[in-house]
Structures are given as structure tokens and as C-alpha cells.
Amino acid sequence: MVDVVSKNNDLTCRLNFKDPMQFLLVVGTTLRVNLDRDAPPGCKFFSVKCSQNVLYTISPTPNETSHLSPMLLSGNTVLHIGTKRHFHPSPSYKEKLTIRFYGEKKAFIGDAQLELVPLELSLDVDADRDGVVERNNPNKASWKWGPDGHGAVVLVNCDRESYYHEKPDCQTKGHKPNQTALKDCATMVLRTSGPPNLSGGYKLTLHISQGDSECIRVYRDETEDEARITKAKMPIFIRQCVNEFPLVLSSEVLSQEVPYPGPDQELIFYVEGLRFPDKDFDGLVTINLSLVRTSRKGVPETPVFTDKVVFRVSPWIMTPNTLQPQEVFICSTSDNYQFLKGMQDLVDRSGHKLKILQEYKNRGDRWIQDELEFGYVDSPYHRFPVVLDSPRDGDLDYFPYGDLLGRDFGYVKREAQRDAVSSLDSFGNLEVSPPVTVNGKKYPLGRILIGVAFPTTTNGRNMTQVVQDFLWAQKVQEPVALYSDWLVVGHVDEFMTFVPAPDRKGFRLLLASPHAGYKIFKKLQNDGHGQAKIFEGLKDEKPVTVDKILSDDRLRLQNEYVQDCIDWNRDVLKKELGLDEEDIIDLPILFKLVTKGKQERAVAYYPDMVNMIVLGKHLGIPKPFGPKVNGRCVLEAKMCSLMEGLGLTCTFIDDFASYHKLLGEVHCGSNVRRKPFDFKWWNVEL
Ligand SMILES: *[C@@H]1O[C@H](CO)[C@@H](O)[C@H](O)[C@H]1NC(C)=O
Ligand SMILES: *[C@@H]1O[C@H](CO)[C@@H](O)[C@H](O)[C@H]1NC(C)=O
Ligand SMILES: *[C@@H]1O[C@H](CO)[C@@H](O)[C@H](O)[C@H]1NC(C)=O
Ligand SMILES: *[C@@H]1O[C@H](CO)[C@@H](O)[C@H](O)[C@H]1NC(C)=O
Ligand SMILES: *[C@@H]1O[C@H](CO)[C@@H](O)[C@H](O)[C@H]1NC(C)=O
């Protein structure tokens, strides 16, 4: 009967020889009795007798096998008393244990009687993440990452169930969730078997720390309560006044008594996440259930037993280009009819859904890539898309909050100081790689990529700290900082993207490459096409010959500098994503430097083909307006030949006047909500 001894929940009790002593004994815990200390004077022997659900051990272990006849009492004899698990309660719910004491010659001295009321008690969560709240999982109080890990998951309830309030549910104080809203919450169950009620000053309380109470709220399901069922028979207008899911724990109520459900009963609770992991929050929250006892009035209650569960808040997860598109977003403006038509054709061809934001919504702001980033949250019970709103706050600012946020569409934002926000805070500067393995370390959800200032510059622009902190705190897509401050606009999507591939790692990294551009132009010249022109047929743009481009030494120097910047990033990407040369494709793109403020920074010379939209096997690429040979643009031809081998089709979209001239391209002017990963984030090995 060694299993009687529990490690944590040990209570010492003092024997009393007058009346039977009553104890509520929680299954899994033990009462400890120091026999020698509590024995009446002159005792030399003792014996023990108990009813069938009681388990006990004596230490040191006596020589006798039967404990009914007197055994020698030594100076350190201790009795540990517990009860069986999954017991069949006696009709009175009481179990008995009697300790009899004897003097010299085994003469009877006295009996100490204990009346034990066994109680099985567990606070339960879905620690094995199968969508079912199992009973008393041994791992429910801790978190472990990975496929053989454990720990319950809770979502930040950042969608908006009701149109009556404006903010996401998690930011709305005192919102009264109903059955529909509770699907966003994790279930927690209090299970009990024991007596019909708790008497003798015992009660149950749930509690939480102040810090954790800022991160979750707990509701109780009262729909099954007897009082509610009676009310359910009442007229509907009365029922509507009854809150069926009252708040139990919140930042205002850190501890609350909960009713004892009774023999073989359970109480259901709903746990609602309030905030995402961040610099000051590692994502883990703890909820305690305690059985407390007040022995006498005026004496503080003492905890008899504490059970504990842990939840981890789902991180916000980004979706790379290799995932299936679900919805494509672009903006309609007074001047971009050509672009809309090109995009409509592309999206039709790829079979996806196009959503065009009309001007009254976008208020003339076409850079929908920059205003928001689509991601999602996931748990074994529910998942939904969540938009991360950029601190850019352009004229599109209202769209994520006003239009996307809604039922099963979450919203999160990190507020930055206005003067701390730069162009690098636009989310063209926030991308994510496909899944990679780097020196044996797996990133099954890919790695986030952001652009910052070159490490040695002192006055460079950076992505604002609050957004960086947020991204790093999500953990499952560990970010990589690239160098993008060399560009006027300063976004990583101006020099890189990923396309799906049938072989190797399942994708290719595409990089803008002035070298590759010069190579093509040089070959054209060598082949006698030096007089071919870029920008031909464009209104308001002077065509330039290949010869002229090649003879422009300033432009060449500028492009060498740009190539250095991209090469620096290439090395970082190879190292941090574990890429080989064969995983990278160089796209022929030239840049030029312009003076912005005091600094010279780069912009694309002709439409920046790497700034494309990837819709499965269909690529929407800025039409480069390159030099033509036999009526075919050599840049388009090169692009197609590079992509064809991967089974990808190229559609060139004219974005020249309405995007390129405004320092953006197709990718900057579009956004794609994609299907979440099948891979579950909690299986990431950190
Ligand atoms: C158990 O038996 C041994 C010898 O057989 C004796 O020395 C010892 O005192 C006994 N212990 C108890 C607790 O009776
Ligand atoms: C819950 O409330 C929302 C609005 O707040 C309502 O649309 C929905 O129908 C309600 N669900 C139930 C089951 O009453
Ligand atoms: C508590 O349960 C006992 C039986 O164990 C019963 O006799 C008693 O009336 C109950 N008390 C209350 C207040 O329900
Ligand atoms: C929860 O219980 C654990 C140990 O049982 C304790 O360390 C912790 O302080 C408790 N937390 C709260 C908020 O009561
Ligand atoms: C910009 O952010 C990066 C990445 O977090 C950091 O390493 C760097 O020190 C920051 N640079 C400046 C100038 O703040």
C-alpha cells in the first residue's frame, strides 16, 4: 500500500481521544499521524483497523503482517492514511479508521477514531490536445513543446461576436458571452466524486495570480444548474436577464468560491484568452483550485488541497506564399483600372476569390500589403484568422478594424509612438518563409522575416520595437532580421519572395539581382540589340536604350552597391533558413539611387518583378516593360523560363503608372489571406 504516500499534499493531524475526528480526505492526499507523539502516556503498543476504502502505511514497517494485534510503538512510528481511487462510497459516505493503544503487557489504554469522507477532486483541461477534456491528466499542470509534449491551449478571444460592441471580445469589459461566443473559449472541468455536500467548513475556490488575470478570464457554465433549468421554463424575457455564463475569475476577482458539484458530478468552465504572448508575457497562465477549510469563525481559512492547471495562449501565426490562398484583397482607386483588370484575370485563372476594396473604404490608399498582415490562431477546439494591424495607420487604417474584425475574424495591434513609426513598419517589410530545417533544427511553420537598419548604422530606420517584441514573443516562427534600410521604401518584399517548387525544399527563394540584369543587357548588346529600349509604349516615360543603360557608369556603380546590400541579405537568408545556392533564383532587376532627405537610397529602375503575388502555381508579376527582341520582352521571357521549370505560370500585370511610379508594385498593392498550416504549432520543438 505504498501508493498512499503522496508527495505534495500531506496534512499532519493530531489525534484526539474524546470524539471521533472527521476529515474530508481528498483522494491522492494523505493524513499523517505521529503515533508516538500523539499516544497517551505509557503506551508501548498499537494496532490499526479500518474500513474497506481506506489505505494506510506504517513506517517503519512493522514485522507483523496483521495490524489488528498489538505492534511495538517506536519513537518514530508514523501512519500515512489515504483512500482508494475510484472507490464505491459507503452508504454514509464515511470511512473509519481506529488506532488502539496499549501499555505494558499489551493492556488496553485507549482508541483514537477517525471518520474519513473520501473526496475525488480534479480540475481538468485538454492537456493532450485531442479536443476532449480528459480526467486528471498527470501533465495538466505543465507545458512541453513538441510532438511528445503536453499542455492545454487557449485562444485570445480577439474576434467580435456581437455587433453591439465595437472592440474585440477580449477587450470588452463585462461582455456577456452566450453559447455561440463560448466556442472561442477553452473548456475546463471541475470533476468531483464524494459526499452529496461539503460540510464542516470546507469549500472550493478557484484562484489566479494578478498577472495571469490580465491574460485570461474564466466563466462558469450555469445552464445546467437546477435554478437555471427552472428559469428556462420561465418567459423568455426573464430568461434573457439571467446571465448563464457568469464571470468567475478576472482582473477584478482573483479568487472565487465555486459550488461543490456533488457525487460524480462536474462543473464546466470556459477560459478566454485576453492577450497574446509579448515581451512581458511568456504565454503561460495557471489556474488553481483549492479545497479550503475554516475550522472556526474568525480564523482564516487554510488550504487543504490545491490542484493546478496550465494553459498556453496560442501564438499569432503567419502564412507563407506556399500555402493555399483563400482570399485576395486589392484596392480600387481612380487611376488603377488597368491593374484591377490584370488582377481580376489572374485571380479568375487561379480560381480564387478576389475582394476589391472600393474607394470609399480605402480612401485612396492602395497599399493594402502595408496596412495589415493576415495570420491565424489555432487550438484543438477552434481556429480562426487574425489580422495584425500595422502601426502604419494610412488611409486604409479603418479597414482591418472596421471590416475584417468580426465573427471568427480576430484582430490584434501593437500601438507604437507616432514618432517611432517609419516606413519600415509597413508590413511589406514583414514576411515569412516556408517551413525550413536549419542545421537539424526544424521550423515547421517557417521563420518570420523583417527588415531593419544595417547593424553598424547609427541613424538608420528600424521596425518599431513594440512590433518587433510582439513578433519575437510568438516564438513558433522565430524571426530573422534582414537589412532593408538601403531602400527608399525599405521593405524586404522589394528584393525577395518565395515561390512553391515541386522539388528540393518545396520552394525557391527569389532574389532581385542587378548582376543578373546587367548580364541580360550585356548579352543583348553583344547580340546586336543595343538599340532595343526599355519603357517602350509607356505614356509619360522616356524609353531608354540598352546601350544607354550599359554606358551609364553612375547607374552601374549604384547597382553594384545594391547588389552588395542584397548579397548581405542573401548570406543571412542562406544561414538562417539553411538554404543552398540551388534553392535561390536571381531575377534580373536593376535599381537606381535617389536622394531622400540626406541619404541616397534605392528604388527599382523598372518594375520590380520580385514584388509579385503568389497564388498557388499562378504568379502575378509586375510587367517590367523591358527591351524587346522579335516583339517579345526579354525580361518577361527570362522570368518565364526561370519559373516554368517549377511548374509556375507567369502573368505580367501592368502596374507602371498606378504603382511602380509611386514606389510600389503588385505585392505592395495586394494582400492574400491563406489557409492555415495543417501542422499544429504546439508540435514545434523549441
Ligand atoms: C522486528 O524483529 C526484529 C528481530 O526479528 C527485532 O529486532 C525488531 O525489534 C522488530 N521490530 C519491531 C518494530 O517489532
Ligand atoms: C449569441 O449572441 C450573438 C450576438 O451577441 C447572437 O448573434 C447569437 O445568435 C447568440 N447565440 C445564441 C446561441 O443565443
Ligand atoms: C449534506 O449531506 C448529508 C448526507 O451526507 C445530509 O444528511 C445533509 O442534510 C446534507 N446537508 C445539506 C445542507 O444539504
Ligand atoms: C497555485 O498553487 C501553487 C502551488 O500549489 C502556488 O505555488 C501558487 O502560488 C498558486 N497560485 C495562486 C494564484 O494561487
Ligand atoms: C533594429 O532592430 C534590430 C533587430 O531587433 C536590432 O538588432 C537593432 O539593434 C536595431 N537597430 C537600431 C538602430 O535600433
Side-chain angles (χ1 to χ4, degrees):
M1 292 189 205
V2 176
D3 63 332
V4 170
V5 179
S6 89
K7 270 171 270 163
N8 306 319
N9 293 296
D10 229 3
L11 276 187
T12 300
C13 86
R14 247 168 214 288
L15 292 181
N16 165 344
F17 291 86
K18 280 196 213 115
D19 315 302
M21 304 166 69
Q22 289 212 5
F23 289 98
L24 195 58
L25 189 53
V26 178
V27 175
T29 70
T30 56
L31 278 178
R32 187 187 146 92
V33 184
N34 286 319
L35 285 186
D36 187 57
R37 188 194 63 187
D38 292 359
C43 283
K44 291 282 186 281
F45 299 93
F46 72 102
S47 64
V48 181
K49 189 174 134 191
C50 68
S51 57
Q52 64 166 12
N53 285 323
V54 178
L55 301 172
Y56 66 85
T57 54
I58 302 169
S59 72
T61 314
N63 292 340
E64 294 81 358
T65 46
S66 165
H67 301 160
L68 295 172
S69 44
M71 299 167 276
L72 195 63
L73 185 64
S74 72
N76 55 356
T77 304
V78 173
L79 193 62
H80 287 275
I81 308 164
T83 66
K84 289 185 180 162
R85 271 182 199 281
H86 314 303
F87 56 91
H88 294 286
S90 71
S92 68
Y93 295 98
K94 283 180 187 153
E95 301 294 330
K96 288 203 169 74
L97 182 132
T98 307
I99 308 162
R100 178 161 289 185
F101 291 94
Y102 310 83
E104 297 284 0
K105 297 189 181 149
K106 302 186 180 169
F108 171 76
I109 291 186
D111 279 344
Q113 280 188 25
L114 273 66
E115 282 184 3
L116 306 167
V117 180
L119 172 65
E120 268 198 286
L121 197 61
S122 70
L123 189 60
D124 289 333
V125 292
D126 180 15
D128 59 4
R129 307 150 175 168
D130 64 354
V132 178
V133 177
E134 64 274 10
R135 194 178 279 270
N136 218 0
N137 188 315
N139 293 319
K140 66 186 180 181
S142 62
W143 175 270
K144 187 176 170 216
W145 291 98
D148 62 347
H150 58 255
V153 173
V154 62
L155 299 179
V156 177
N157 190 8
C158 58
D159 70 343
R160 182 177 56 190
E161 217 56 52
S162 162
Y163 298 101
Y164 295 123
H165 51 83
E166 186 196 0
K167 292 177 174 174
D169 292 343
C170 57
Q171 289 175 26
T172 307
K173 257 197 179 172
H175 81 107
K176 279 192 188 166
N178 61 15
Q179 207 77 56
T180 313
L182 288 166
K183 71 181 182 318
D184 298 335
C185 297
T187 308
M188 179 172 82
V189 182
L190 166 60
R191 295 191 167 108
T192 55
S193 343
N197 56 48
L198 298 184
S199 49
Y202 289 101
K203 61 181 194 182
L204 294 171
T205 62
L206 278 180
H207 41 120
I208 188 172
S209 70
Q210 181 74 55
D212 286 358
S213 75
E214 313 285 335
C215 309
I216 55 164
R217 280 189 291 229
V218 179
Y219 300 89
R220 184 156 92 75
D221 187 341
E222 288 193 351
T223 53
E224 297 299 317
D225 282 23
E226 234 167 282
R228 304 289 158 192
I229 293 166
T230 316
K231 284 205 176 92
K233 297 187 187 115
M234 292 176 171
I236 185 133
F237 66 91
I238 296 185
R239 264 191 290 151
Q240 277 172 346
C241 302
V242 174
N243 188 359
E244 296 189 304
F245 302 98
L247 198 54
V248 180
L249 296 179
S250 67
S251 56
E252 270 105 53
V253 184
L254 302 181
S255 171
Q256 174 139 216
E257 182 176 353
V258 294
Y260 168 66
D264 296 311
Q265 295 293 317
E266 53 187 43
L267 283 189
I268 311 277
F269 297 91
Y270 293 103
V271 182
E272 175 186 45
L274 302 182
R275 53 178 304 212
F276 281 93
D278 212 324
K279 196 179 176 183
D280 56 349
F281 173 42
D282 68 358
L284 289 176
V285 288
T286 302
I287 301 172
N288 281 359
L289 168 79
S290 288
L291 178 69
V292 298
R293 184 181 199 184
T294 336
S295 44
R296 267 164 290 132
K297 257 214 162 85
V299 174
E301 54 196 30
T302 49
V304 178
F305 170 78
T306 297
D307 205 9
K308 181 175 135 178
V309 294
V310 161
F311 286 93
R312 182 178 283 283
V313 173
S314 166
W316 176 79
I317 301 163
M318 285 178 64
T319 54
N321 281 351
T322 43
L323 291 172
Q324 270 301 310
Q326 292 191 309
E327 224 176 341
V328 179
F329 293 82
I330 51 174
C331 294
S332 166
T333 58
S334 55
D335 59 356
N336 73 346
Y337 173 73
Q338 193 71 24
F339 174 79
L340 292 189
K341 198 166 158 303
M343 287 296 289
Q344 183 77 63
D345 289 349
L346 169 75
V347 176
D348 284 352
R349 214 167 311 134
S350 65
H352 299 294
K353 209 164 94 192
L354 181 67
K355 189 145 185 184
I356 299 178
L357 267 63
Q358 297 304 324
E359 207 155 3
Y360 74 90
K361 283 227 163 113
N362 66 51
R363 296 186 286 184
D365 185 352
R366 67 200 68 201
W367 309 113
I368 192 161
Q369 179 67 223
D370 290 339
E371 191 56 48
L372 59 104
E373 190 71 40
F374 289 111
Y376 68 96
V377 291
D378 197 4
S379 74
Y381 58 92
H382 194 36
R383 86 177 171 198
F384 53 83
V386 175
V387 59
L388 175 65
D389 190 358
S390 156
R392 165 184 184 260
D393 296 353
D395 285 328
L396 266 168
D397 189 33
Y398 186 67
F399 175 66
Y401 195 78
D403 281 67
L404 292 175
L405 170 63
R407 188 163 293 173
D408 283 340
F409 210 118
Y411 173 93
V412 58
K413 180 170 190 183
R414 284 295 168 265
E415 295 291 347
Q417 299 262 316
R418 279 315 316 158
D419 54 3
V421 174
S422 72
S423 174
L424 273 65
D425 290 303
S426 291
F427 287 166
N429 196 30
L430 170 62
E431 298 298 319
V432 64
S433 81
V436 289
T437 302
V438 188
N439 296 325
K441 181 162 169 45
K442 289 185 195 141
Y443 296 91
L445 304 173
R447 295 190 72 173
I448 288 172
L449 304 166
I450 63 165
V452 300
F454 196 66
T456 55
T457 43
T458 47
N459 57 347
R461 298 167 300 173
N462 225 344
M463 182 177 269
T464 193
Q465 203 57 45
V466 285
V467 175
Q468 286 202 37
D469 288 344
F470 173 82
L471 295 173
W472 257 270
Q474 305 313 306
K475 291 195 182 118
V476 294
Q477 297 178 306
E478 190 190 347
V480 177
L482 298 172
Y483 167 41
S484 66
D485 189 31
W486 54 276
L487 288 145
V488 169
V489 176
H491 298 173
V492 292
D493 71 347
E494 295 176 82
F495 63 88
M496 56 157 290
T497 192
F498 297 93
V499 293
D503 59 351
R504 297 188 60 80
K505 302 184 168 78
F507 68 87
R508 292 287 191 281
L509 166 65
L510 308 188
L511 285 178
S513 168
H515 273 174
Y518 271 96
K519 213 165 153 182
I520 286 188
F521 289 112
K522 200 77 195 212
K523 180 160 192 311
L524 277 179
Q525 193 178 50
N526 290 348
D527 292 349
H529 300 294
Q531 285 303 300
K533 298 185 184 80
I534 66 165
F535 300 149
E536 230 173 0
L538 278 170
K539 251 198 327 196
D540 308 325
E541 196 67 30
K542 238 179 89 195
V544 188
T545 65
V546 169
D547 287 339
K548 180 107 193 293
I549 290 169
L550 291 176
S551 64
D552 186 339
D553 289 336
R554 226 171 90 85
L555 186 67
R556 174 182 288 276
L557 277 176
Q558 293 179 349
N559 273 287
E560 272 167 20
Y561 162 71
V562 167
Q563 188 67 58
D564 286 346
C565 294
I566 296 176
D567 283 348
W568 192 88
N569 286 305
R570 183 193 192 99
D571 291 341
V572 174
L573 285 161
K574 279 176 74 174
K575 177 161 168 277
E576 299 296 340
L577 302 182
L579 304 182
D580 303 315
E581 281 301 317
E582 292 74 23
D583 298 314
I584 304 174
I585 296 177
D586 292 310
L587 305 185
I589 296 159
L590 300 193
F591 290 78
K592 63 184 179 190
L593 296 191
V594 298
T595 307
K596 224 16 201 198
K598 281 194 199 117
Q599 256 157 325
E600 284 205 308
R601 289 190 165 109
V603 297
Y605 185 31
Y606 47 80
D608 186 357
M609 293 186 289
V610 81
N611 194 274
M612 62 174 71
I613 183 172
V614 180
L615 302 174
K617 293 188 175 313
H618 296 268
L619 309 180
I621 302 169
K623 188 175 177 57
F625 291 94
K628 285 182 181 155
V629 171
N630 301 327
R632 176 107 204 258
C633 167
V634 295
L635 294 173
E636 286 186 23
K638 180 69 184 171
M639 192 70 202
C640 289
S641 77
L642 289 170
M643 294 300 111
E644 262 162 20
L646 302 173
L648 304 170
T649 61
C650 301
T651 301
F652 293 93
I653 293 170
D654 179 359
D655 71 355
F656 200 92
S658 53
Y659 291 81
H660 174 72
K661 293 296 275 180
L662 304 173
L663 307 187
E665 314 276 359
V666 172
H667 189 256
C668 308
S670 61
N671 214 321
V672 185
R673 183 169 68 79
R674 296 178 189 274
K675 196 169 167 282
F677 282 100
D678 290 331
F679 186 92
K680 298 298 181 189
W681 61 265
W682 49 89
N683 289 327
V684 170
E685 292 171 75
L686 286 186

